[in-house]
């Protein structure tokens, strides 16, 4: 067989492998949609119009999981339930429902999660007569943030102002506080709130630290490390790019730490990018200190892998991707790029920001290799402190507004990962300036705008 024939064979095998991977993703998504449809039909009974609505506003999946649990509790007690995202609801649906239960997370600086942003803008932004509706609100939040449970509170206030009647006072949950969740459960009965069938989360499993590499030696900022973990026993749990590894600490069990996963299962390792946090008194942050300092090579710890469905590729796997982020937000974007490389999809554009090129070009060799081989069709690195005037990723997007519009016109999906303060809000404002409010509404409604910011 000559060289030309060998190249043709290799190309054919690559295409076959790509087709098989695409088919596997499509089948997995199809099975999940079918399972959700079947579960929803079973809970709603013969007449969905008579069912209690269970509406969730979820960003990382916790509110969605609790909504499905609540729906099952109602069903088991003899009450049909219809579970759906808040973005799927409208005022007419609420007027026709006998009762509606709202499970609402708060995202960012007190905002609605992306899965409820369309409802918040178009439904809550208008007057409505909901005087026939009885409702209850479970608001999820974290008291470490200034706007604790803000969206759940705004939703409750809007419903009450529209004439709806509270079945009982709003229940607020601080970081999955068991007592508050038990108070919600007591209203409907049912199994404990950590039922694995609803949360679809793997149990915590032991992982062994195989490698730890400093990525930004000499940086003016805090050290950033790439950590590689291998399963300590048995096969690794499955995850998808975009998912989260959760670390629970014995010293602070009520506040688990979430880290974006920077690898895919076929890598054979679980990768995290972690910035070392140091308190004013010089002590290290509990989670980052353990991961970047005190945990020795070969030592093990327990990590729970959490599906982050709102940040997975899902139906966007076949679309061009515009990936935007900064700092350790590269972790979630790196996971997606590794998944895209495995699929043979090269229509990827990364816009990424850090401090200085000399010290803070995280994963430089890998990113430049992807650019050379075409995995990255375009790479824009933005170093904020390499010039007199600070420049950030949102400024680069505005500079490249025509190219951004072109990618969106080609049906691209946008994924944003990194810091909430500054970057996420700046990127959102830049995109709204580039495509307009109607364009952003379309991106959100179609699931083509996804964020994992912290």
């Amino acid at each position: 067989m000559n060289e030309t024939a060998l190249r043709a064979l290799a190309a054919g095998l690559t295409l076959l492998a790509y087709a098989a991977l695409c088919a596997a993703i499509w089948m997995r998504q199809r099975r999940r949609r079918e399972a959700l449809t079947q579960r929803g039909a079973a809970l709603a009974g013969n007449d969905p119009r008579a069912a209690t609505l269970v509406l969730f506003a979820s960003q990382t999946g916790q509110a969605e999981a609790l909504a499905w649990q609540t729906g099952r509790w109602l069903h088991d007690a003899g009450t049909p339930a219809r579970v759906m995202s808040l973005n799927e609801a409208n005022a007419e649906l609420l007027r026709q429902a006998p009762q509606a239960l709202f499970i609402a997370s708060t995202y960012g600086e007190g905002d609605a999660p992306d899965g409820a942003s369309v409802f918040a803008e178009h439904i809550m932004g208008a007057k409505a007569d909901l005087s026939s509706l009885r409702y209850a609100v479970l608001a999820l939040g974290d008291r470490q943030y200034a706007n604790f449970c803000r969206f759940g509170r705004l939703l409750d206030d809007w419903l009450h102002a529209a004439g709806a009647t509270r079945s009982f006072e709003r229940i607020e949950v601080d970081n999955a506080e068991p007592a508050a969740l038990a108070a919600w459960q007591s209203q409907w009965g049912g199994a404990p709130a950590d039922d694995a069938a609803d949360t679809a989360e793997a149990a915590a499993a032991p992982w062994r630290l195989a490698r730890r590499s400093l990525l930004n030696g000499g940086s003016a900022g805090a050290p950033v490390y790439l950590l590689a973990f291998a399963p300590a026993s048995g096969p690794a749990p499955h995850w998808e790019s975009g998912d989260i590894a959760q670390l629970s600490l014995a010293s602070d069990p009520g506040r688990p730490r979430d880290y974006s996963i920077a690898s895919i299962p076929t890598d054979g390792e679980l990768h995290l990018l972690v910035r070392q946090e140091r308190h004013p008194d010089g002590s290290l942050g509990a989670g980052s200190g353990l991961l970047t300092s005190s945990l020795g090579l070969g030592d093990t710890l327990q990590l729970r892998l959490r599906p982050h469905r709102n940040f997975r590729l899902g139906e966007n796997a076949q679309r061009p991707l515009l990936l935007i982020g900064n700092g350790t937000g590269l972790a979630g974007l790196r996971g997606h790029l590794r998944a895209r490389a495995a699929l043979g999809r090269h229509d990827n554009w990364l816009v990424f920001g850090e401090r200085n090129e000399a010290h803070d070009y995280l994963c430089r060799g890998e990113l430049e290799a992807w650019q050379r081989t075409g995995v990255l069709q375009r790479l824009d690195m933005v170093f904020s402190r390499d010039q007199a005037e600070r420049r950030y990723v949102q400024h680069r997007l505005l500079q490249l507004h025509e190219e951004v519009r072109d990618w969106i016109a080609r049906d691209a999906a946008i994924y944003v990962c990194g810091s909430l303060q500054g970057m996420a809000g700046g990127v959102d404002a830049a995109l709204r300036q580039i495509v307009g409010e109607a364009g952003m509404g379309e991106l959100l409604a179609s699931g083509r705008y996804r964020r994992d910011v912290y």
Side-chain angles (χ1 to χ4, degrees):
M1 186 177 291
N2 59 35
E3 184 177 351
T4 301
L6 286 172
R7 287 180 178 175
L9 178 60
L13 291 174
T14 300
L15 286 173
L16 284 173
Y18 169 60
L21 284 167
C22 288
I25 289 176
W26 180 81
M27 286 298 296
R28 184 162 58 242
Q29 294 298 324
R30 179 181 176 182
R31 286 195 296 269
R32 181 173 183 268
R33 285 195 298 269
E34 289 175 347
L36 287 176
T37 299
Q38 292 172 1
R39 187 197 297 184
L43 294 178
N46 296 327
D47 185 4
R49 293 173 299 178
T52 291
L53 294 177
V54 184
L55 303 165
F56 59 86
S58 189
Q59 189 73 28
T60 64
Q62 182 188 19
E64 180 180 0
L66 286 168
W68 284 106
Q69 286 178 323
T70 302
R72 197 187 70 245
W73 295 338
L74 290 167
H75 175 265
D76 291 348
T79 301
R82 185 179 178 188
V83 181
M84 64 175 64
S85 167
L86 197 54
N87 271 352
E88 299 177 75
N90 55 41
E92 183 60 28
L93 181 70
L94 296 179
R95 279 192 290 269
Q96 295 176 356
Q99 179 176 233
L101 312 181
F102 297 84
I103 302 174
S105 295
T106 292
Y107 190 56
E109 298 180 4
D111 302 323
D114 291 341
S117 57
V118 175
F119 182 92
E121 180 178 355
H122 296 287
I123 309 303
M124 292 173 63
K127 291 184 178 180
D129 178 8
L130 302 179
S131 54
S132 62
L133 179 70
R134 295 189 64 84
Y135 77 96
V137 173
L138 179 70
L140 309 180
D142 187 334
R143 291 193 185 277
Q144 292 188 101
Y145 294 93
N147 295 301
F148 174 66
C149 287
R150 181 173 181 269
F151 178 65
R153 293 172 178 178
L154 290 174
L155 177 62
D156 186 16
D157 291 343
W158 176 79
L159 289 162
H160 189 66
T165 302
R166 295 185 181 100
S167 296
F168 49 86
E169 290 300 309
R170 177 182 66 246
I171 295 175
E172 296 183 348
V173 183
D174 178 19
N175 209 1
E177 179 188 5
L181 291 174
W184 177 262
Q185 177 189 336
S186 70
Q187 299 293 331
W188 323 112
D194 59 357
D195 190 318
D198 282 325
T199 61
E201 293 181 9
W207 293 83
R208 176 178 54 83
L209 180 61
R211 294 189 311 283
R212 180 167 54 213
S213 306
L214 178 65
L215 298 183
N216 64 339
S219 173
V224 174
Y225 291 87
L226 171 64
L227 298 97
F229 290 91
S233 61
H238 176 75
W239 75 89
E240 295 184 23
S241 64
D243 284 351
I244 291 169
Q246 186 176 84
L247 171 66
S248 294
L249 301 170
S251 60
D252 192 9
R255 298 191 183 279
R257 275 66 168 172
D258 288 342
Y259 299 93
S260 299
I261 300 175
S263 58
I264 56 177
T266 53
D267 292 327
E269 294 179 325
L270 181 78
H271 294 174
L272 305 178
L273 292 181
V274 180
R275 189 181 299 275
Q276 190 177 80
E277 178 188 5
R278 191 173 293 276
H279 299 311
D281 65 0
S283 63
L284 295 179
S288 70
L290 171 64
L291 293 171
T292 65
S293 179
S294 59
L295 187 71
L297 292 179
D299 289 349
T300 63
L301 50 65
Q302 298 283 324
L303 293 173
R304 183 188 306 278
L305 305 191
R306 297 185 56 232
H308 190 349
R309 295 191 178 90
N310 193 61
F311 203 68
R312 285 179 170 180
L313 291 179
E315 295 180 355
N316 292 324
Q318 304 307 312
R319 291 186 165 110
L321 290 190
L322 171 52
L323 307 169
I324 306 166
N326 71 337
T328 55
L330 183 59
L333 306 181
R334 181 179 186 256
H336 284 326
L337 284 169
R338 288 189 163 227
R340 300 282 280 186
L343 289 172
R345 290 299 301 253
H346 292 180
D347 44 354
N348 308 303
W349 178 7
L350 175 64
V351 183
F352 187 75
E354 252 291 354
R355 286 174 177 250
N356 302 105
E357 181 175 5
H359 304 291
D360 301 298
Y361 199 142
L362 307 181
C363 300
R364 180 171 192 161
E366 186 173 36
L367 295 180
E368 292 182 343
W370 278 334
Q371 189 177 29
R372 287 194 303 271
T373 58
V375 172
L376 273 170
Q377 193 174 108
R378 178 161 187 161
L379 173 62
D380 283 271
M381 298 296 295
V382 184
F383 296 101
S384 62
R385 305 192 182 192
D386 279 353
Q387 59 282 314
E389 183 182 0
R390 299 282 174 87
R391 305 296 292 174
Y392 301 102
V393 290
Q394 55 265 36
H395 300 130
R396 183 63 57 87
L397 293 172
L398 290 170
Q399 288 175 340
L400 302 172
H401 59 274
E402 292 184 0
E403 290 90 336
V404 172
R405 287 196 197 102
D406 179 63
W407 276 65
I408 292 173
R410 290 164 47 199
D411 201 35
I414 301 172
Y415 283 72
V416 181
C417 193
S419 62
L420 169 64
Q421 298 296 328
M423 188 278 295
V427 166
D428 189 79
L431 291 172
R432 291 178 187 277
Q433 185 174 335
I434 292 168
V435 303
E437 293 297 330
M440 285 298 288
E442 169 58 28
L443 289 171
L444 282 163
S446 62
R448 291 166 55 204
Y449 181 42
R450 309 289 184 100
R451 297 184 293 174
D452 179 15
V453 298
Y454 39 86

